[in-house]
């Protein structure tokens, strides 16, 4: 079973208390209203009893007084028509004055001689009432009383009989009948039932017509006999009243003088309604209180929950701050470690940089020496070939040619000095002012430099260069250096081929540029060479023949001259190198000086 939450449990307990309180409260309320009802009914009862008693007492002594009147006595002593008439008149008058129902005079036989209703259709005169107790009791004891239903008038009445004496002898009985039907009508319509029971316990007067002449208790045999004899009711066997005590609130008032009992029966329903209302008010009030209490409990629970949630949130926040602080501390210490590592790396880097600078210096030294030897090898080879040639010419005494050769050697040595100067300048990266240089003579010089090798390889040269001098922005020596390098590379590539060794030289002009294309039918650039040919020390050649500096130097020189070098392969095979230099319109070069070696 699900255990109830404490607040619901509390409410449940309150509900139980409420239910438990209902019963005593109900009794309390019922007691109160019952007491109220009884108080009120007691007043009614007293009033009715007093009224009834006073009504009867008013007539109690009347027959005794009337019995002493001479006209009454004369009517009994001398019952002549005249005397009787006088008596009738008298009784009728007295009846009108006293409000009695009927007053009548009986002789000792019980025969009615005179009556107040002597003129009415139901005149008692001539009727014998000897069987009535009020008659024979009055004769026997002086007075007699009787309740009963008039057998002529069929009206309930109380009869007071009194003996009429003459000379201490009873000569008759005078009777006064009090009308009780009228008394009953005075009670009116009230929710309470009023009733009067006689000495037999039979209801003789009541505000509830159905209860009339019913026995409120069991009748004894003598009582039944008496009823049969005197016929006071419409029946000689009264039915039981059978009132259920739980349905009624009964109050009684005994009238000992006449042995009657006056009762008032109030239906319990009368108090049920106010009791129910009071209970409803009580229930609603208690439920409202419970509801308010429940709401307060709920509100308190809600606030407690909120406080708990706030506390939990605060705890979680503190926890997360703690965690975050922990993380930050971890991060901080890691950063510190990283900073230390970085510092160590930086120190390492500085050290490595120092080492690299040192290595770079060494490398630059190597590059320089390699470049020098590379650039000088070709003129040296040319000088050797001129000197060898001159020796042969001397033996043949061809002195003019020897002199020409020596001139060429001189030019070459000058050029070597210039190359060394340029290499130094290159190494220092000293920019040199460009000048207007004629392309064709520089090209011729470069071809002359590689002529012996070209001849040895039987390389055919095709030129598509205009006769008119083409001027470019360059340096005389630097241009020749570039061209001879490019041609030397072409010859190296052609040396790999067994036949069809050709070099095509072609110029083209655009607005700004002069483009010299040097194509060969050699092996062509490898993919690697196309990508890296400009890098220093890149070479595909054996270490004996290639240093990988030629194109690096050419590229640097051409860039310094404001031009560019492009490397590609021909579709039909072989390399294609394009040298772009800024062209100078020929008109600007009329007084240009040629710095040619020849
Ligand atoms: P080296 O000639 O000492 O190798 P270079 O810088 O002059 O150095 O040339 C670099 C490389 O470019 C060469 O090793 C070669 O592979 C390639 N190369 C240059 N010119 C040509 C050419 N005309 N044909 C084929 N390959 C060439």
């Amino acid at each position: 079973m699900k255990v109830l939450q404490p607040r619901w449990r509390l409410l449940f307990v309150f509900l139980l208390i409420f239910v438990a309180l209902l019963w005593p409260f109900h009794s309390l309320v019922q007691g109160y209203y019952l007491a109220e009802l009884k108080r009120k009914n007691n007043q009614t009862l007293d009033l009715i009893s007093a009224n009834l008693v006073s009504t009867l007492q008013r007539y109690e002594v009347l027959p005794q007084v009337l019995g002493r009147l001479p006209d009454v006595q004369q009517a009994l002593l001398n019952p002549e028509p005249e005397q009787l008439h006088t008596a009738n008149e008298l009784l009728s008058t007295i009846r009108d004055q006293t409000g009695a129902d009927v007053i009548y005079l009986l002789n000792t036989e019980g025969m009615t001689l005179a009556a107040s209703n002597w003129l009415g259709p139901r005149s008692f005169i001539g009727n014998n009432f000897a069987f009535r107790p009020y008659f024979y009791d009055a004769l026997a004891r002086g007075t007699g009383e009787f309740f009963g239903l008039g057998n002529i008038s069929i009206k309930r009445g109380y009869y007071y009989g009194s003996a009429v004496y003459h000379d201490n002898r009873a000569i008759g009985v005078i009777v006064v009948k009090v009308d009780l039907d009228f008394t009953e009508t005075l009670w009116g319509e009230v929710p309470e039932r009023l009733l009067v029971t006689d000495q037999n316990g039979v209801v003789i007067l009541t505000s509830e017509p159905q209860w009339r002449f019913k026995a409120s208790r069991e009748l004894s045999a003598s009582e039944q006999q008496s009823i049969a004899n005197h016929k006071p009711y419409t029946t000689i066997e009264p039915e039981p009243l059978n009132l259920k005590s739980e349905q009624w609130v009964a109050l009684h008032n005994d009238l000992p003088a006449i042995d009657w009992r006056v009762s008032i029966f109030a239906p319990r329903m009368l108090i049920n309604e106010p009791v129910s209302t009071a209970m409803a008010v009580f229930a609603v009030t208690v439920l409202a209180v419970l509801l308010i209490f429940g709401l307060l409990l709920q509100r308190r629970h809600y606030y407690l929950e909120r406080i708990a949630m706030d506390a939990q949130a605060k705890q979680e926040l503190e926890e997360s701050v703690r965690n975050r602080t922990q993380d930050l501390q971890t991060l901080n210490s890691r950063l510190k470690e990283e900073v230390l590592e970085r510092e160590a790396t930086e120190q390492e880097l500085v050290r490595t940089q120092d080492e690299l600078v040192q290595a770079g210096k060494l490398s630059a030294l190597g590059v320089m020496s390699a470049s020098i030897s590379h650039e000088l090898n070709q003129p040296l080879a040319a000088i050797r070939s001129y000197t060898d040639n001159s020796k042969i010419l001397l033996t043949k005494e061809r002195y003019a040619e020897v002199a020409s050769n020596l001139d060429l050697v001189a030019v070459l040595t000058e050029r070597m000095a210039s190359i060394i100067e340029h290499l130094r300048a290159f190494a220092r990266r000293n920019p040199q002012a460009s000048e207007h240089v004629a392309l064709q003579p520089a090209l011729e010089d470069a071809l002359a430099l590689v002529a012996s090798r070209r001849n040895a390889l039987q390389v055919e040269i095709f030129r598509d260069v205009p006769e008119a001098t083409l001027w470019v922005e360059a340096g005389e020596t630097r241009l020749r250096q570039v061209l001879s390098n490019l041609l030397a590379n072409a010859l190296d590539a052609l040396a790999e081929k067994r036949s069809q060794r050709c070099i095509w030289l072609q110029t083209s002009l655009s607005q700004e540029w002069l483009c010299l294309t040097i194509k060969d039918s050699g092996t062509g650039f490898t993919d690697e060479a196309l990508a890296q040919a400009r890098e220093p020390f890149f070479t595909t050649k054996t270490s004996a023949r290639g240093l990988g500096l030629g194109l690096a130097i050419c590229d640097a020189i051409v860039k310094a001259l404001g031009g560019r070098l492009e490397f590609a392969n021909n579709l039909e095979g072989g390399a294609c190198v394009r040298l772009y230099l800024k062209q100078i319109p020929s008109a600007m070069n009329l007084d240009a000086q040629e710095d040619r070696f020849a």
Side-chain angles (χ1 to χ4, degrees), residues 489-490 493 520 523-525 529 533 538-541 546-552 575:
N489 273 345
D520 64 57
T523 52
F525 289 95
F538 175 81
T539 179
T540 57
K541 297 167 193 170
L547 287 170
L549 283 169
L551 292 182

Side-chain angles (χ1 to χ4, degrees), residues 65-350:
V65 174
L66 292 178
R68 292 171 197 235
L69 294 177
D71 285 345
V72 172
Q73 291 191 359
Q74 277 304 312
L76 288 173
L77 290 172
N78 190 18
E80 291 305 317
E82 196 182 332
Q83 297 299 330
L84 291 176
H85 179 77
T86 305
N88 282 334
E89 292 268 329
L90 177 70
L91 294 180
S92 176
T93 306
I94 292 169
R95 181 236 171 227
D96 292 343
Q97 288 168 348
T98 58
D101 189 26
V102 187
I103 305 172
Y104 50 104
L105 190 64
L106 311 176
N107 63 14
T108 49
E109 306 300 315
M111 183 64 74
T112 308
L113 298 180
S116 61
N117 58 2
W118 63 287
L119 286 175
R122 293 182 178 174
S123 172
F124 285 5
I125 294 173
N127 287 293
N128 193 307
F129 296 107
F131 64 97
R132 295 291 202 187
Y134 59 78
F135 171 73
Y136 54 76
D137 279 349
L139 271 188
R141 298 200 300 265
T143 56
E145 293 170 23
F146 174 69
F147 164 80
L149 198 68
N151 57 349
I152 296 165
S153 63
I154 319 296
K155 274 164 63 176
R156 283 162 296 165
Y158 199 81
Y159 300 81
Y160 285 108
S162 177
V164 180
Y165 293 101
H166 185 76
D167 296 337
N168 292 327
R169 179 176 65 88
I171 54 173
V173 174
I174 185 160
V175 183
V176 174
K177 183 186 175 189
V178 182
D179 180 10
L180 291 181
D181 279 9
F182 179 70
T183 306
E184 196 182 67
T185 58
L186 291 177
W187 292 349
E189 291 280 325
V190 282
E192 294 86 2
R193 313 295 195 275
L194 294 163
L195 55 91
V196 177
T197 48
D198 64 4
Q199 67 281 358
N200 295 325
V202 176
V203 179
I204 52 173
L205 298 177
T206 174
S207 59
E208 177 60 60
Q210 292 174 348
W211 294 0
R212 202 169 289 149
F213 303 126
K214 291 198 173 167
S216 63
R217 61 175 168 78
E218 218 171 309
L219 297 170
S220 65
S222 63
E223 283 169 340
Q224 282 174 350
Q225 187 59 51
S226 164
I227 291 164
N229 290 342
H230 302 126
K231 301 182 185 69
Y233 323 121
T234 50
T235 173
I236 55 163
E237 283 179 5
E239 290 172 23
L241 188 56
N242 278 342
L243 288 182
K244 287 184 180 133
S245 61
E246 67 272 12
Q247 290 177 355
W248 301 95
V249 179
L251 288 173
H252 309 285
N253 197 7
D254 289 328
L255 306 177
I258 46 178
D259 203 10
W260 282 5
R261 169 181 267 195
V262 182
S263 302
I264 183 163
F265 280 79
R268 272 192 183 269
M269 290 281 292
L270 286 179
I271 57 165
N272 283 353
E273 200 174 313
V275 167
S276 303
T277 309
M279 286 308 290
V281 170
F282 173 73
V284 167
T285 309
V286 173
L287 279 177
V289 167
L290 280 181
L291 199 70
I292 291 168
F293 187 72
L295 283 173
L296 286 175
L297 269 186
Q298 197 159 7
R299 210 164 170 73
R300 181 172 162 271
H301 180 77
Y302 168 72
Y303 280 123
L304 286 178
E305 249 181 14
R306 269 196 57 180
I307 289 168
M309 272 167 65
D310 285 352
Q312 197 183 350
K314 197 175 155 206
Q315 204 175 348
E316 281 173 6
L317 190 71
E318 280 172 1
E319 182 72 30
S320 77
V321 167
R322 239 193 331 272
N323 289 342
R324 190 86 188 111
T325 312
Q326 181 93 32
D327 288 353
L328 283 173
Q329 278 172 350
T330 314
L331 195 69
N332 198 24
S333 57
R334 211 164 57 229
L335 277 173
K336 274 184 186 163
E337 276 173 21
E338 275 181 20
V339 167
L340 285 174
E341 268 176 32
R342 197 152 290 182
E343 279 173 3
T345 311
E346 267 175 19
Q347 282 172 3
E348 179 74 12
L349 205 65
V350 168

Side-chain angles (χ1 to χ4, degrees), residues 431-435 472-475 478 482 512-514 554-565 579-583:
Q432 285 193 344
S434 55
E435 41 193 72
V472 288
E473 213 175 278
R478 283 176 288 173
V482 169
E512 191 183 356
W513 301 102
L514 178 145
C554 289
D555 193 55
I557 290 170
V558 171
K559 273 184 185 154
L561 292 172
R564 67 179 189 278
L565 265 176
L579 169 63
Y580 288 90
L581 289 168
K582 284 182 183 163
Q583 68 135 329

